[in-house]
Amino acid sequence: MTQFQSNQEFYEFVRVLAQDLEESGKQSASMMLTDGLACINGLTDGWAAFLESVENVQRSFGEELKSSDAERVEEIRMAAHKAVYRS
């Protein structure tokens, strides 16, 4: 798993993945991540909303994603889960 050194590094990782998804024709998945990222406000409920959007991407598009994109989505999900559940 990627260890993000800062929130900025994490946000950039998400933005790059969203851009890659859009460029590969997965506009809806890209939008889910981008909209979810906008929910993050430093509070647990914002992170929870983001986690939900990442899990929605996995459920809705998981089988359609390239394996490298699916791995990046999972890395993001794990980091968001850690932020929500502090584990």
Side-chain angles (χ1 to χ4, degrees), residues 10-24 26 29-30 33-34 54 57 65-66 68-77:
F10 175 75
Y11 302 150
E12 184 61 21
F13 188 86
V14 175
R15 283 191 285 273
V16 168
L17 175 57
Q19 181 178 348
D20 290 349
L21 290 172
E22 185 167 337
E23 290 172 359
S24 68
K26 305 285 186 279
S30 174
L33 286 179
T34 302
V54 173
V57 168
L65 298 177
K66 297 185 301 187
S68 61
D69 290 343
E71 288 171 9
R72 291 190 292 170
V73 170
E74 177 59 13
E75 288 181 55
I76 291 167
R77 189 203 62 77

